[in-house]
Amino acid sequence: MEIPDSMIAACDPSKQVVVLTGAGISAESGVPTFRGEDGLWKRYRAEDLATPSAFQTNPKLVWEWYDWRRGIIGKAEPNPGHRAIAEMEGIFPHFCLITQNVDGLHRRAGNTEVIEIHGNLWDLRCVAEGTVREDTRVPLPEIPPLCECGALLRPHVVWFGESLDQEDLSRAYRLIEGCNLLLVVGTSAVVQPVASFPLMAKQAGAFVVEVNMDPTPISPLVDVSLHGKAGEILPALLEKIREYWGRGDGA
């Protein structure tokens, strides 16, 4: 994969860098989308289970599905694309990652400056108190899990029909509008409001790069569109950045 010189020159370590990731990067770790054909489970679709009404009607069924998902995702490992993004956090002092993924693989790879805009599958939230705690046990010993207060716990993710966390969304907007470089990795760019982020960054003057297996609706609009595996392109990009800018980890 040939990486244009203009792209390497845009990766200035003194600038604000934002990486936006979607399901494509996790697919390279073997994580299915859990939507469409991949989303079928006991004849249910993801869209039928990941809703507040489904949880209210049958929390045990919803949690059985999520426990199954957690079992699959728990076996996945961060791939070279995840690890390259984690290394970028050490190279760029002004860096943030915005991810649509709920699998937690970016944090496992080493990223700390992360906005998980759709939540995290490994966090559980009390429906009564709103408190959030991490629980990585697979399988969960109790379905549905309960809070110490006796109320139900739910996955701390954004379900169909729910709004994104306003604090996370506001911070994401500020970062997108203020960044100098935006890397869009493994997202189809069709789910709003995140689908609007690349265009927002472009209109604000950022250099926008897309890394995806196939062309997407934003491909004609970005500065550089690289087609291929993130696990191959991002490590190669990282090497080029180090060569051009003379930066190492933590520099």
Side-chain angles (χ1 to χ4, degrees):
M1 169 63 64
E2 186 67 29
I3 298 176
D5 291 340
S6 61
M7 179 178 172
I8 306 303
C11 296
D12 185 341
S14 69
K15 303 299 185 181
Q16 176 71 53
V17 177
V18 175
V19 177
L20 172 65
T21 66
I25 191 168
S26 291
E28 295 180 31
S29 289
V31 177
T33 63
F34 301 106
R35 295 183 67 180
E37 292 183 2
D38 290 335
L40 291 176
W41 173 79
K42 294 185 179 180
R43 303 185 306 277
Y44 295 94
R45 299 179 308 148
E47 291 84 351
D48 297 327
L49 296 168
T51 69
S53 60
F55 187 73
Q56 183 176 11
T57 301
N58 197 336
K60 185 174 186 293
L61 176 68
V62 171
W63 260 116
E64 285 175 347
W65 179 59
Y66 272 99
D67 203 42
W68 171 74
R69 284 182 61 182
R70 284 160 57 102
I72 294 173
I73 293 171
K75 297 174 184 176
E77 294 292 334
N79 62 59
H82 290 108
R83 290 193 286 271
I85 293 172
E87 289 183 51
M88 289 179 188
E89 187 172 316
I91 291 175
F92 299 107
H94 310 289
F95 175 95
C96 190
L97 166 66
I98 303 170
T99 184
Q100 298 171 278
N101 301 332
V102 300
D103 50 47
L105 287 174
H106 282 298
R107 291 193 183 274
R108 286 176 56 194
N111 279 110
T112 59
E113 293 297 323
V114 187
I115 298 175
E116 293 169 318
I117 201 103
H118 291 159
N120 189 310
L121 196 68
W122 303 104
D123 289 338
L124 280 57
R125 185 170 83 240
C126 176
V127 299
E129 300 175 340
T131 53
V132 178
R133 71 183 190 205
E134 184 182 59
D135 192 331
T136 59
R137 291 176 294 176
V138 176
L140 286 167
E142 182 181 32
I143 299 292
L146 300 177
C147 181
E148 286 83 354
C149 72
L152 284 169
L153 291 168
R154 57 159 283 179
H156 186 48
V157 297
V158 179
W159 280 333
F160 294 106
E162 292 185 325
S163 300
L164 300 182
D165 180 269
Q166 287 304 303
E167 185 176 337
D168 285 343
L169 187 58
S170 295
R171 185 181 173 211
Y173 279 139
R174 290 195 301 270
L175 287 164
I176 290 295
E177 291 173 345
C179 73
N180 303 104
L181 171 67
L182 175 65
L183 298 180
V184 184
V185 182
T187 176
S188 59
V190 295
V191 178
Q192 294 292 352
V194 178
S196 65
F197 286 4
L199 185 57
M200 287 174 56
K202 185 69 178 167
Q203 290 175 337
F207 191 93
V208 181
V209 177
E210 177 188 45
V211 177
N212 205 32
M213 287 297 297
D214 302 297
T216 72
I218 69 167
S219 297
L221 308 175
V222 301
D223 294 284
V224 175
S225 185
L226 302 175
H227 297 150
K229 292 183 177 180
E232 296 174 357
I233 293 174
L234 295 181
L237 171 61
L238 203 58
E239 183 178 352
K240 292 285 188 181
I241 292 172
R242 287 181 172 136
E243 290 176 358
Y244 186 92
W245 291 101
R247 304 288 290 210
D249 291 340

